[in-house]
Amino acid sequence: MNQKKHHKTIVLSDIHLGSKWSKAKEATKYLKENTCDTLILCGDIIDGWQLMRGKKAKWKKRHSNFIKLLLDIQHDTKIIYLRGNHDDFLDRILPLQFQNIKIVKDYIHTSNGKRFYVIHGDVFDMVTSRYSWLSKIGDVGYTLLMWVNKYYNNRRLKKGLPYYSLSREVKKRVKASVSYISDYEKHIVEIARKKKCDGVICGHIHHPEKAYYDEILYLNSGDWVESLSALTEDYEGNWEVVMYNQEDKVVEVMKEDKVPEKVKLAI
């Protein structure tokens, strides 16, 4: 039995409950083993797009178990839920607060004298915000890639080889994808600067990251589809990106704080 670890703040995003690819079981296990004063759910927790697509039931017991856990821990944990583009159905009821759970579009997280602008991030993605139909076509393509990834890794497993993410390799190797992530980071950092914040916390692009752009700390919590990542803050205000290892079922810390080359271009 793993001993529980307590944090000041935990940030999770892009769990995509209702999607076949959601690692809801692992996310639930992580929250059972890692408690916190404040839990920030940074968007796309429920995947409304997947739930509305087709006629086959997609909501599973593991998805319900995650929601049940949230309702249990909210007695001792403040929960901030930010809407994402996949759970944009929440727009009709925002802002909303019940018991110790608050659902909002954006949020200012204040800790150790520093201010962090918290938002899912889709509003800074031109494809998602202006061309939602194109974004949904891309979602279908991502689903297809995940199917290919599943069968490819089943073959690797039979050969005794470790898990290999095709989609992550596509993001790394395709120049347009690298440029998209870079532009996204620079844009959202600039918004945080205009709001006179010391950092920004977001999700959306399924790319966990901790990096400095000049004086602004950029934090992305990644996802619970492939990366299985989270952000944690301790009581001294230190942030870490942690990764849940699918093979060993343990949490690993991303070691380095990256300083992007783009910082030299001045935002």
Side-chain angles (χ1 to χ4, degrees), residues 8-15 31 36-45 66 70 73-74 77-84 87 90 94-110 116-120 201 221:
K8 183 177 183 181
T9 309
I10 292 177
V11 183
L12 303 179
S13 70
D14 298 87
I15 301 176
L31 284 184
C36 58
D37 296 339
T38 302
L39 172 63
I40 299 175
L41 301 171
C42 206
D44 283 2
I45 303 304
F66 183 84
L70 294 183
I73 67 174
Q74 59 92 21
T77 302
K78 177 181 178 182
I79 299 178
I80 308 295
Y81 186 134
L82 293 103
R83 57 75 79 194
D87 43 20
L90 293 171
L94 295 181
L96 175 68
Q97 180 161 0
F98 59 97
Q99 295 185 324
N100 210 19
I101 301 175
K102 181 184 290 186
I103 306 176
V104 292
K105 284 188 177 181
D106 59 3
Y107 177 70
I108 299 294
H109 176 68
T110 304
F116 292 85
Y117 182 51
V118 189
I119 193 166
H120 178 61
I201 298 171
S221 48

Side-chain angles (χ1 to χ4, degrees), residues 63-183:
H63 303 148
S64 295
N65 288 341
F66 183 84
I67 298 297
K68 289 177 182 177
L69 178 63
L70 294 183
L71 295 175
D72 286 341
I73 67 174
Q74 59 92 21
H75 298 292
D76 301 308
T77 302
K78 177 181 178 182
I79 299 178
I80 308 295
Y81 186 134
L82 293 103
R83 57 75 79 194
N85 51 303
H86 282 255
D87 43 20
D88 55 4
F89 56 86
L90 293 171
D91 284 339
R92 302 174 186 177
I93 61 171
L94 295 181
L96 175 68
Q97 180 161 0
F98 59 97
Q99 295 185 324
N100 210 19
I101 301 175
K102 181 184 290 186
I103 306 176
V104 292
K105 284 188 177 181
D106 59 3
Y107 177 70
I108 299 294
H109 176 68
T110 304
S111 179
N112 288 74
K114 293 186 177 181
R115 287 161 40 92
F116 292 85
Y117 182 51
V118 189
I119 193 166
H120 178 61
D122 59 292
V123 294
F124 305 112
D125 178 349
M126 188 174 68
V127 173
T128 300
S129 60
R130 298 186 185 179
Y131 307 103
S132 60
W133 60 272
L134 184 59
S135 181
K136 290 179 181 180
I137 291 175
D139 186 55
V140 173
Y142 182 75
T143 299
L144 177 61
L145 183 58
M146 291 300 294
W147 274 106
V148 175
N149 190 68
K150 175 185 176 181
Y151 290 108
Y152 175 66
N153 275 287
N154 283 343
R155 292 176 65 89
R156 287 177 62 84
L157 184 63
K158 291 177 181 178
K159 296 179 180 180
L161 298 173
Y163 179 85
Y164 179 89
S165 173
L166 287 174
S167 68
R168 261 184 285 179
E169 284 304 309
V170 169
K171 288 178 183 178
K172 286 180 185 177
R173 295 173 182 271
V174 177
K175 186 177 180 180
S177 176
V178 174
S179 176
Y180 163 78
I181 292 174
S182 172
D183 291 344

